[in-house]
Amino acid sequence: MTVQLYLRRSSGRSEMVSPAIVLAFVPLLVTLIIRYRYHFLLLYRAVLVRMVLDCTTGISREERAFQYLLTHSLPGDPDSILDTFDHWSSRVEYMSNIGPKKGKVLDRLITDNAPLTVLELGTHCGYSAVRIARGLPLGARLYSVEMDECNATIAEKVIRLAGFDDDTVELIVSPSEEVIPQLRERFGIERLDFVFMDHWKRCYLRDLQLLEGSGLLGKGSIILADNIIFPGAPHFLRYVKSSGLYQHRIHQATLEYFRGIRDGMAELTFIGTK
């Protein structure tokens, strides 16, 4: 039996397409599936599984993560909170925390520089806030900004579960573009020693320029930006490299909890105005 395939054109006529032409695309399709298998797996874990569990459990992924922390971690122990969060995100249900491998870069910068005033843009569920707070010197304070009220509610619980009070970590629930211009007047901040960016990647450049305009970056202030390769922040990187305001370094890595997806972090050191 001869197999005939047809394509219908706008004129209404149908033309036969050889099965050989269709089969010619099979190797290409297989190649794409193999090459991007980790991206397909990420789509499955981060989107499809989440949608199903949101419907079946009736609660959000963030709430499910907090319930897991309550039953599997030790209250008041930041290391236990982080280890449990890592297990949840890698083995139970994917969540895009900075993770343990890239987290070591963050840990080292906090330990080596001992910042007294830290700004975090993008709290999500509080993972990186706990990671930063556990390494801060005595008397230091972290201001963590999250625009999503539901996520902020979970983050507040996670941060307090880890043992950090409002004197160490202050959670600000508002869009970053509204918070940054108010940091001096509303919160009495004169200088930011360290800034961690892990919110919407399209906001990186805008918020960096807002920080410059606020006058809160002093010589030696450090900015660490996550996920600059995947999902990526190309405009941010181009600006950093061309502005002349920063010494910069790219830390090569893979996406948190996904060894097959290339990612990286940008470490910037503010060297002064033009």
Side-chain angles (χ1 to χ4, degrees), residues 5-160:
L5 300 177
Y6 292 89
L7 288 178
R8 184 170 297 278
R9 296 192 173 183
S10 58
S11 62
R13 295 180 301 172
S14 298
E15 295 186 3
M16 185 177 70
V17 178
S18 169
I21 296 177
V22 177
L23 291 174
F25 286 95
V26 172
L28 175 62
L29 179 61
V30 172
T31 299
L32 289 174
I33 291 174
I34 293 175
R35 181 175 180 179
Y36 295 103
R37 62 190 182 280
Y38 291 109
H39 295 77
F40 288 120
L41 181 58
L42 176 62
L43 176 66
Y44 169 74
R45 291 192 60 203
V47 179
L48 298 181
V49 170
R50 177 181 181 177
M51 291 173 60
V52 170
L53 290 176
D54 283 353
C55 292
T56 56
T57 65
I59 60 175
S60 70
R61 176 186 59 180
E62 289 74 20
E63 290 173 304
R64 293 192 294 273
F66 180 66
Q67 289 183 356
Y68 189 85
L69 288 176
L70 284 176
T71 56
H72 292 80
S73 64
L74 297 176
D77 185 340
D79 292 340
S80 175
I81 298 294
L82 294 174
D83 289 343
T84 305
F85 232 139
D86 287 331
H87 185 272
W88 160 270
S89 299
S90 61
R91 302 294 181 86
V92 181
E93 188 175 348
Y94 179 79
M95 186 176 288
S96 57
N97 306 311
I98 186 176
K101 293 184 179 180
K102 288 190 291 183
K104 290 180 180 179
V105 176
L106 177 60
D107 296 344
R108 178 181 57 78
L109 289 174
I110 293 294
T111 301
D112 290 350
N113 293 280
L116 293 177
T117 306
V118 180
L119 175 67
E120 177 186 33
L121 300 177
T123 314
H124 195 195
C125 284
Y127 176 96
S128 52
V130 171
R131 190 151 204 133
I132 293 170
R134 70 171 181 171
L136 291 177
L138 186 66
R141 194 170 196 186
L142 167 62
Y143 298 86
S144 190
V145 179
E146 173 58 48
M147 67 176 294
D148 187 292
E149 293 185 5
C150 294
N151 288 347
T153 299
I154 300 299
E156 180 86 24
K157 295 176 182 178
V158 170
I159 293 166
R160 305 312 171 212

Side-chain angles (χ1 to χ4, degrees), residues 32 40 69 84 86 111 164 167 197-198 207 232 250-251 260 263:
L32 289 174
F40 288 120
L69 288 176
T84 305
D86 287 331
T111 301
F164 300 109
D167 290 333
M197 291 184 169
D198 196 14
D207 288 351
I250 305 300
H251 297 273
D263 193 15

Side-chain angles (χ1 to χ4, degrees), residues 121-122 145 147 174-181 199 203 206-207 210:
L121 300 177
V145 179
M147 67 176 294
S174 191
S176 57
E177 70 271 22
E178 296 179 8
V179 173
I180 292 173
H199 55 323
C203 299
R206 179 202 67 194
D207 288 351
L210 283 174

Side-chain angles (χ1 to χ4, degrees), residues 201 228-229 231-240:
K201 315 314 163 191
I228 51 109
I229 295 177
H235 300 297
F236 170 82
L237 285 179
R238 281 197 293 269
Y239 173 78
V240 166

